[in-house]
Amino acid sequence: LQCVNTANTTLVVASGATVTVTAPACPAGYTQTATNCDTSSNTVGLLGFGNGNCRVRSADVVAQEASASRTCCRVPGR
């Protein structure tokens, strides 16, 4: 397989807020194989993920960041 990661989409998560971060789409000819979620603090909890979306909730007293990307793969020569 030939795989690439998309760029990150990053959102600010306000104190006590819940947001869904949506990763950029896979390039033409590639199929999504994973959703990748990351946060700037362990006080931002991951509520769920899939299909390029990461749903998070902040328990911090200050704004934090959350990001999402996709791993996309294809079979070379097809």
Side-chain angles (χ1 to χ4, degrees), residues 11-21 44-48 54-59 66:
L11 295 178
V12 173
V13 186
S15 176
T18 299
V19 299
T20 299
V21 186
V44 179
L46 181 62
L47 302 177
C54 301
R55 186 146 177 87
V56 298
R57 180 179 311 154
S58 176

Side-chain angles (χ1 to χ4, degrees), residues 38-74:
D38 194 21
T39 63
S40 61
S41 171
N42 62 2
T43 60
V44 179
L46 181 62
L47 302 177
F49 67 95
N51 200 27
N53 297 303
C54 301
R55 186 146 177 87
V56 298
R57 180 179 311 154
S58 176
D60 208 322
V61 296
V62 297
Q64 297 293 338
E65 291 184 340
S67 62
S69 67
R70 300 175 200 243
T71 299
C72 309
C73 299
R74 69 178 181 174

Side-chain angles (χ1 to χ4, degrees), residues 20-43:
T20 299
V21 186
T22 301
C26 289
Y30 285 78
T31 301
Q32 179 180 327
T33 58
T35 298
N36 311 303
C37 306
D38 194 21
T39 63
S40 61
S41 171
N42 62 2
T43 60

